[in-house]
Amino acid sequence: MGLKQTIRSLDAFPRTEEHLLQKTQSGALVSVVGLVIMATLFIHELTYYLTTYTVHEMSVDLKRGETLPIHINMTFPSLPCDVASIDAIDLSGKHEVDLDTNIWKLRLNSHGHIIGTKYLSDLVEKQHTTRNHDDKEHHDGSAKKPHKFSFDKDAENMINKVKKALENGEGCRVYGVLDVQRVAGNFHISVHALNIYVAQMIFGGAKHVNVSHMIHDLSFGPKYPGLHNPLDDTVRILHDTSGTFKYYIKGACR
């Protein structure tokens, strides 16, 4: 008995005395209040752990030789895709018409529904080549026939195609990514890739070029979730007139 009594005295979990096992209303109230406090603290700490805090920092970009991606997503409800082009000019004087970038454009009908796609850089290259060829011919024959200009078959077909698109109220949605140098510069979406005579035959004058547009997304640098850019959701619509829209943005590259 002495050995068993000694071993029993080493029990770290002795039975609770009988008078401490009685359930009371005050004990139940303390238990409920304790559970509520524990649940509240648990939810608060879990929410704090799962909450994301965004901290903005600005620093000098020391990288060289890298390009800056420009994300574009714009709609031109009154400008057919066959005449839209993207040009870029930077501070060093570099002027690029056929940018080696992933730019797509979607043909839109008068209701804004997609009716076809076309790869923009291929179109600009073709139009740029046609323009240079036409300019050379015009320069060679300008001394003898300054007021006469002839179009080749491709130019005539494009003129007829664009005129038909204008009659049908076609528009264009341009989207993709431009990769430009990390220097000050500008890019523009216009009909500059067209030969001036072709543009005159299509639109009959600059006042008939409608560059109304909606900017769905225009951002510089890598995409950042939740970031709203200054020109997002910008809408500029022209009615029975023409014009040029210019946007100036200053900021640091992310």
Side-chain angles (χ1 to χ4, degrees), residues 171-205:
C172 187
R173 183 161 185 167
V174 180
Y175 72 97
V177 180
L178 290 175
D179 290 316
V180 298
Q181 299 185 77
R182 291 174 177 261
V183 296
N186 69 79
F187 73 91
H188 43 274
I189 303 176
S190 63
V191 296
H192 290 170
L194 288 177
N195 180 287
I196 186 172
Y197 297 100
V198 174
Q200 182 68 25
M201 291 293 296
I202 293 175
F203 297 101

Short mmCIF file of all heavy atoms in Angstrom, two decimals, residues 171-205:
data_model
loop_
_atom_site.label_atom_id
_atom_site.label_comp_id
_atom_site.label_asym_id
_atom_site.label_seq_id
_atom_site.Cartn_x
_atom_site.Cartn_y
_atom_site.Cartn_z
N GLY A 171 -16.06 50.69 -86.43
CA GLY A 171 -15.08 51.27 -85.52
C GLY A 171 -13.95 50.29 -85.30
O GLY A 171 -13.84 49.27 -85.99
N CYS A 172 -13.11 50.59 -84.34
CA CYS A 172 -11.94 49.74 -84.10
C CYS A 172 -11.57 49.76 -82.62
O CYS A 172 -11.62 50.82 -81.98
CB CYS A 172 -10.75 50.23 -84.94
SG CYS A 172 -9.32 49.14 -84.87
N ARG A 173 -11.19 48.61 -82.12
CA ARG A 173 -10.68 48.52 -80.75
C ARG A 173 -9.22 48.09 -80.82
O ARG A 173 -8.90 47.03 -81.35
CB ARG A 173 -11.48 47.52 -79.92
CG ARG A 173 -11.02 47.44 -78.47
CD ARG A 173 -12.08 46.84 -77.58
NE ARG A 173 -11.71 46.87 -76.17
CZ ARG A 173 -12.57 46.62 -75.18
NH1 ARG A 173 -13.83 46.34 -75.45
NH2 ARG A 173 -12.17 46.67 -73.93
N VAL A 174 -8.35 48.92 -80.28
CA VAL A 174 -6.91 48.67 -80.31
C VAL A 174 -6.45 48.28 -78.92
O VAL A 174 -6.73 48.98 -77.95
CB VAL A 174 -6.15 49.93 -80.79
CG1 VAL A 174 -4.65 49.67 -80.83
CG2 VAL A 174 -6.64 50.36 -82.17
N TYR A 175 -5.74 47.16 -78.82
CA TYR A 175 -5.25 46.73 -77.51
C TYR A 175 -3.95 45.96 -77.68
O TYR A 175 -3.65 45.44 -78.76
CB TYR A 175 -6.28 45.87 -76.79
CG TYR A 175 -6.46 44.48 -77.36
CD1 TYR A 175 -5.79 43.39 -76.82
CD2 TYR A 175 -7.28 44.27 -78.46
CE1 TYR A 175 -5.95 42.12 -77.35
CE2 TYR A 175 -7.45 43.01 -79.00
CZ TYR A 175 -6.79 41.94 -78.43
OH TYR A 175 -6.94 40.68 -78.97
N GLY A 176 -3.17 45.92 -76.63
CA GLY A 176 -1.90 45.20 -76.66
C GLY A 176 -0.87 45.92 -75.82
O GLY A 176 -1.19 46.69 -74.91
N VAL A 177 0.39 45.67 -76.14
CA VAL A 177 1.50 46.21 -75.35
C VAL A 177 2.54 46.83 -76.27
O VAL A 177 2.98 46.19 -77.24
CB VAL A 177 2.18 45.12 -74.48
CG1 VAL A 177 3.32 45.72 -73.67
CG2 VAL A 177 1.15 44.46 -73.56
N LEU A 178 2.92 48.07 -75.99
CA LEU A 178 4.02 48.72 -76.69
C LEU A 178 5.26 48.65 -75.82
O LEU A 178 5.20 48.92 -74.62
CB LEU A 178 3.70 50.19 -76.95
CG LEU A 178 2.62 50.53 -77.98
CD1 LEU A 178 2.39 52.04 -77.99
CD2 LEU A 178 3.02 50.06 -79.36
N ASP A 179 6.39 48.32 -76.40
CA ASP A 179 7.66 48.32 -75.68
C ASP A 179 8.49 49.49 -76.18
O ASP A 179 8.95 49.50 -77.33
CB ASP A 179 8.41 46.99 -75.90
CG ASP A 179 7.72 45.83 -75.21
OD1 ASP A 179 7.30 46.01 -74.05
OD2 ASP A 179 7.58 44.76 -75.83
N VAL A 180 8.69 50.49 -75.34
CA VAL A 180 9.40 51.70 -75.73
C VAL A 180 10.60 51.90 -74.81
O VAL A 180 10.71 51.28 -73.75
CB VAL A 180 8.47 52.93 -75.66
CG1 VAL A 180 7.32 52.78 -76.63
CG2 VAL A 180 7.94 53.14 -74.24
N GLN A 181 11.50 52.80 -75.21
CA GLN A 181 12.66 53.10 -74.40
C GLN A 181 12.25 53.91 -73.17
O GLN A 181 11.27 54.64 -73.19
CB GLN A 181 13.69 53.89 -75.22
CG GLN A 181 14.22 53.15 -76.44
CD GLN A 181 15.31 53.91 -77.15
OE1 GLN A 181 16.45 53.95 -76.70
NE2 GLN A 181 14.96 54.55 -78.25
N ARG A 182 13.06 53.79 -72.12
CA ARG A 182 12.77 54.49 -70.87
C ARG A 182 13.27 55.94 -70.92
O ARG A 182 14.11 56.35 -70.13
CB ARG A 182 13.41 53.75 -69.70
CG ARG A 182 12.77 52.40 -69.40
CD ARG A 182 13.54 51.66 -68.33
NE ARG A 182 12.90 50.40 -68.00
CZ ARG A 182 12.10 50.21 -66.95
NH1 ARG A 182 11.86 51.20 -66.12
NH2 ARG A 182 11.57 49.03 -66.71
N VAL A 183 12.77 56.68 -71.89
CA VAL A 183 13.08 58.10 -72.01
C VAL A 183 11.79 58.84 -72.30
O VAL A 183 10.77 58.25 -72.66
CB VAL A 183 14.12 58.36 -73.12
CG1 VAL A 183 15.45 57.72 -72.79
CG2 VAL A 183 13.60 57.85 -74.46
N ALA A 184 11.82 60.15 -72.16
CA ALA A 184 10.63 60.95 -72.46
C ALA A 184 10.27 60.82 -73.93
O ALA A 184 11.14 60.76 -74.80
CB ALA A 184 10.89 62.41 -72.09
N GLY A 185 9.00 60.77 -74.21
CA GLY A 185 8.55 60.64 -75.59
C GLY A 185 7.04 60.64 -75.67
O GLY A 185 6.35 60.97 -74.70
N ASN A 186 6.52 60.27 -76.82
CA ASN A 186 5.07 60.21 -77.00
C ASN A 186 4.74 59.16 -78.05
O ASN A 186 5.58 58.78 -78.87
CB ASN A 186 4.52 61.58 -77.40
CG ASN A 186 4.95 61.98 -78.80
OD1 ASN A 186 4.39 61.53 -79.80
ND2 ASN A 186 5.99 62.83 -78.90
N PHE A 187 3.52 58.69 -77.98
CA PHE A 187 3.00 57.82 -79.02
C PHE A 187 1.62 58.31 -79.39
O PHE A 187 0.93 58.95 -78.58
CB PHE A 187 2.97 56.35 -78.55
CG PHE A 187 1.90 56.04 -77.55
CD1 PHE A 187 0.64 55.59 -77.96
CD2 PHE A 187 2.12 56.20 -76.20
CE1 PHE A 187 -0.35 55.30 -77.04
CE2 PHE A 187 1.14 55.92 -75.28
CZ PHE A 187 -0.10 55.47 -75.70
N HIS A 188 1.21 58.05 -80.60
CA HIS A 188 -0.10 58.52 -81.04
C HIS A 188 -0.75 57.48 -81.95
O HIS A 188 -0.07 56.77 -82.68
CB HIS A 188 -0.01 59.87 -81.75
CG HIS A 188 1.13 59.99 -82.71
ND1 HIS A 188 2.39 60.37 -82.33
CD2 HIS A 188 1.19 59.74 -84.04
CE1 HIS A 188 3.19 60.39 -83.38
NE2 HIS A 188 2.50 60.00 -84.43
N ILE A 189 -2.05 57.44 -81.86
CA ILE A 189 -2.86 56.58 -82.72
C ILE A 189 -3.62 57.49 -83.68
O ILE A 189 -4.39 58.35 -83.25
CB ILE A 189 -3.84 55.74 -81.89
CG1 ILE A 189 -3.08 54.89 -80.86
CG2 ILE A 189 -4.67 54.83 -82.80
CD1 ILE A 189 -3.98 54.10 -79.94
N SER A 190 -3.37 57.32 -84.96
CA SER A 190 -3.95 58.23 -85.95
C SER A 190 -3.98 57.54 -87.31
O SER A 190 -3.84 56.31 -87.41
CB SER A 190 -3.11 59.51 -86.02
OG SER A 190 -1.80 59.20 -86.46
N VAL A 191 -4.12 58.34 -88.37
CA VAL A 191 -4.12 57.82 -89.74
C VAL A 191 -2.85 58.24 -90.46
O VAL A 191 -2.81 58.34 -91.68
CB VAL A 191 -5.37 58.32 -90.51
CG1 VAL A 191 -6.63 57.78 -89.87
CG2 VAL A 191 -5.40 59.85 -90.57
N HIS A 192 -1.77 58.48 -89.71
CA HIS A 192 -0.53 58.97 -90.30
C HIS A 192 0.13 57.97 -91.23
O HIS A 192 0.97 58.36 -92.05
CB HIS A 192 0.46 59.36 -89.20
CG HIS A 192 0.04 60.59 -88.45
ND1 HIS A 192 0.66 61.02 -87.30
CD2 HIS A 192 -0.95 61.48 -88.69
CE1 HIS A 192 0.07 62.12 -86.86
NE2 HIS A 192 -0.91 62.41 -87.69
N ALA A 193 -0.18 56.70 -91.08
CA ALA A 193 0.43 55.70 -91.96
C ALA A 193 -0.10 55.77 -93.39
O ALA A 193 0.50 55.21 -94.30
CB ALA A 193 0.21 54.30 -91.39
N LEU A 194 -1.20 56.48 -93.58
CA LEU A 194 -1.77 56.60 -94.92
C LEU A 194 -1.02 57.62 -95.74
O LEU A 194 -0.55 58.64 -95.23
CB LEU A 194 -3.24 57.02 -94.82
CG LEU A 194 -4.25 55.99 -94.31
CD1 LEU A 194 -5.62 56.62 -94.22
CD2 LEU A 194 -4.28 54.77 -95.20
N ASN A 195 -0.93 57.37 -97.04
CA ASN A 195 -0.45 58.38 -97.97
C ASN A 195 -1.44 59.54 -97.95
O ASN A 195 -2.65 59.35 -97.84
CB ASN A 195 -0.35 57.77 -99.37
CG ASN A 195 0.13 58.75 -100.40
OD1 ASN A 195 -0.61 59.65 -100.80
ND2 ASN A 195 1.36 58.57 -100.84
N ILE A 196 -0.93 60.75 -98.04
CA ILE A 196 -1.79 61.93 -97.93
C ILE A 196 -2.86 61.95 -99.01
O ILE A 196 -4.00 62.39 -98.78
CB ILE A 196 -0.94 63.22 -97.98
CG1 ILE A 196 -1.83 64.44 -97.71
CG2 ILE A 196 -0.19 63.34 -99.29
CD1 ILE A 196 -1.06 65.72 -97.56
N TYR A 197 -2.55 61.43 -100.18
CA TYR A 197 -3.54 61.41 -101.27
C TYR A 197 -4.59 60.34 -101.02
O TYR A 197 -5.77 60.53 -101.32
CB TYR A 197 -2.83 61.18 -102.61
CG TYR A 197 -1.87 62.28 -102.97
CD1 TYR A 197 -0.51 62.13 -102.75
CD2 TYR A 197 -2.34 63.48 -103.50
CE1 TYR A 197 0.38 63.15 -103.08
CE2 TYR A 197 -1.46 64.50 -103.82
CZ TYR A 197 -0.10 64.34 -103.61
OH TYR A 197 0.76 65.35 -103.93
N VAL A 198 -4.14 59.21 -100.47
CA VAL A 198 -5.09 58.16 -100.12
C VAL A 198 -6.04 58.64 -99.03
O VAL A 198 -7.26 58.43 -99.09
CB VAL A 198 -4.35 56.88 -99.67
CG1 VAL A 198 -5.34 55.84 -99.18
CG2 VAL A 198 -3.51 56.32 -100.80
N ALA A 199 -5.49 59.32 -98.03
CA ALA A 199 -6.33 59.85 -96.96
C ALA A 199 -7.33 60.88 -97.49
O ALA A 199 -8.48 60.93 -97.06
CB ALA A 199 -5.44 60.49 -95.89
N GLN A 200 -6.88 61.69 -98.45
CA GLN A 200 -7.77 62.68 -99.04
C GLN A 200 -8.91 62.01 -99.80
O GLN A 200 -10.07 62.44 -99.73
CB GLN A 200 -6.99 63.60 -99.97
CG GLN A 200 -7.81 64.72 -100.61
CD GLN A 200 -8.28 65.75 -99.62
OE1 GLN A 200 -7.67 65.93 -98.57
NE2 GLN A 200 -9.37 66.42 -99.93
N MET A 201 -8.60 60.92 -100.51
CA MET A 201 -9.63 60.20 -101.25
C MET A 201 -10.62 59.52 -100.31
O MET A 201 -11.81 59.42 -100.62
CB MET A 201 -8.97 59.16 -102.15
CG MET A 201 -8.19 59.74 -103.32
SD MET A 201 -9.26 60.56 -104.52
CE MET A 201 -10.22 59.18 -105.11
N ILE A 202 -10.15 59.08 -99.15
CA ILE A 202 -11.03 58.36 -98.22
C ILE A 202 -11.92 59.32 -97.44
O ILE A 202 -13.14 59.16 -97.39
CB ILE A 202 -10.19 57.51 -97.24
CG1 ILE A 202 -9.49 56.38 -97.99
CG2 ILE A 202 -11.08 56.94 -96.14
CD1 ILE A 202 -8.55 55.57 -97.12
N PHE A 203 -11.31 60.33 -96.84
CA PHE A 203 -12.05 61.20 -95.92
C PHE A 203 -12.51 62.51 -96.56
O PHE A 203 -13.40 63.16 -96.01
CB PHE A 203 -11.18 61.52 -94.70
CG PHE A 203 -10.82 60.32 -93.88
CD1 PHE A 203 -9.56 59.75 -93.98
CD2 PHE A 203 -11.74 59.74 -93.01
CE1 PHE A 203 -9.20 58.64 -93.22
CE2 PHE A 203 -11.40 58.64 -92.25
CZ PHE A 203 -10.13 58.08 -92.36
N GLY A 204 -11.90 62.90 -97.67
CA GLY A 204 -12.31 64.15 -98.30
C GLY A 204 -11.91 65.38 -97.51
O GLY A 204 -12.50 66.45 -97.67
N GLY A 205 -10.95 65.26 -96.62
CA GLY A 205 -10.50 66.39 -95.81
C GLY A 205 -10.33 65.99 -94.36
O GLY A 205 -10.97 65.06 -93.86
#
